[in-house]
Amino acid sequence: MNDRPGRQNYSSEDLREPGIQARVTPEEFFALSQGKAFSPAILEAEDVPPLVYWPGFLPKAQADRLLTLSLDLPWQQQQITIFGKQRPVPRLESYFGDSTAYHYGYSNSVSWQAAPWPDFLADLRSQVEVVTGYAYQVGMGNLYRDGNDSNGYHADDEPELGEDPAIASVSLGATRTFRLKRRKKGAKSWGIALHHGDLLLMQPGCQRNWIHTVPKTARPCGPRINWTFRPYVSLTR
Ligand SMILES: O=C(O)CCC(=O)C(=O)O
Ligand SMILES: [Fe+2]
């Protein structure tokens, strides 16, 4: 009846809380990111990253507005120390949270203190919580100014995020490829083209067993902003 990947018609087996999720094959799932269907999808196969994907989650007008508001925020370029050498992080970042006590650091060099949420971002966080069924206390922004900005392979597995967190990602602006692979050397990688307004949920298991990247691209491309909404566990009381 419906020959598009991701299907618009669900059987009762496809219905899962929260929201409606269609279980699809990797072929269907990764085809979704080529803009062929609008439908939330959960991957179901052996050895695929535990992802749920809502292509076109935000209506275009809302995504446009969020992009404009996001670009207006203060963005910073931190320095990262790799093998004892300092160099700038290859993108701009910003960090918001429920408490300014929510410090966040990675690679033993980059350090952030959460700023209070701007209203539009707190609203987006709530919208994402409802749809994904998880609660998030902090939001990390990445601004990739052009195809030369990137995010190297990593997992978001800092202790502040708690055991095996669920992390939700909202993309705005230029389309960029988000790539995941198992931690072992030479592992096959899966790539999803994340578009303006897409929502992707990295379910528990993703940070523990997989790493992800946003590689540079030689294709001319404008700015892209990605918001990741994350849990935060206070390590000290
Ligand atoms: O830009 C993205 O899509 C991913 C961002 C990311 O991996 C992160 O903020 O940890
Ligand atoms: Fe990440």
Side-chain angles (χ1 to χ4, degrees):
M1 200 169 148
N2 186 337
D3 60 0
R4 296 197 296 171
R7 294 170 290 165
Q8 298 289 311
N9 306 311
Y10 302 97
S11 73
S12 57
E13 282 140 54
D14 292 325
L15 300 178
R16 267 176 45 133
E17 291 301 326
I20 298 169
Q21 295 165 356
R23 300 199 176 100
V24 297
T25 65
E27 291 69 33
E28 289 174 325
F29 188 92
F30 293 101
L32 283 174
S33 77
Q34 309 307 316
K36 291 197 185 118
F38 173 88
S39 177
I42 183 166
L43 259 171
E44 199 166 71
E46 289 285 307
D47 212 38
V48 288
L51 300 171
V52 186
Y53 181 39
W54 290 260
F57 167 66
L58 299 172
K60 180 164 183 314
Q62 189 191 355
D64 288 352
R65 184 177 148 266
L66 292 177
L67 177 61
T68 306
L69 291 168
S70 299
L71 284 168
D72 263 357
L73 293 172
W75 292 90
Q76 276 181 47
Q77 187 166 31
Q78 295 243 9
Q79 298 287 320
I80 190 166
T81 309
I82 299 172
F83 301 120
K85 261 181 110 175
Q86 271 223 338
R87 56 165 106 161
V89 169
R91 63 188 176 280
L92 307 186
E93 295 168 300
S94 62
Y95 181 55
F96 299 93
D98 289 344
S99 162
T100 51
Y102 288 172
H103 290 277
Y104 183 62
Y106 62 89
S107 302
N108 291 325
S109 50
V110 175
S111 171
W112 290 95
Q113 187 175 359
W117 295 100
D119 286 346
F120 79 87
L121 206 54
D123 291 348
L124 179 62
R125 184 254 306 248
S126 306
Q127 199 179 342
V128 168
E129 284 182 335
V130 168
V131 173
T132 61
Y134 289 96
Y136 311 101
Q137 288 78 43
V138 296
M140 179 97 213
N142 285 295
L143 166 54
Y144 305 87
R145 291 160 293 187
D146 55 31
N148 217 25
D149 275 358
S150 62
N151 201 334
Y153 264 119
H154 68 279
D156 298 292
D157 55 1
E158 291 77 19
E160 298 90 335
L161 299 176
E163 258 294 290
D164 209 3
I167 297 180
S169 129
V170 173
S171 294
L172 301 168
T175 298
R176 294 288 294 263
T177 300
F178 182 75
R179 201 160 268 291
L180 306 99
K181 65 174 188 179
R182 290 271 185 193
R183 289 171 182 268
K184 61 178 186 288
K185 231 185 153 173
K188 169 187 167 64
S189 73
W190 299 92
I192 310 181
L194 292 178
H195 304 91
H196 190 48
D198 286 358
L199 168 64
L200 184 73
L201 175 67
M202 293 183 265
Q203 294 182 291
C206 199
Q207 309 306 324
R208 178 171 287 173
N209 303 318
W210 297 79
I211 49 179
H212 55 266
T213 182
V214 178
K216 286 183 187 207
T217 173
R219 188 174 48 80
C221 88
R224 166 179 185 261
I225 286 177
N226 176 265
W227 289 110
T228 47
F229 297 100
R230 303 148 177 243
Y232 193 99
V233 179
S234 295
L235 299 175
T236 52
R237 323 182 150 255

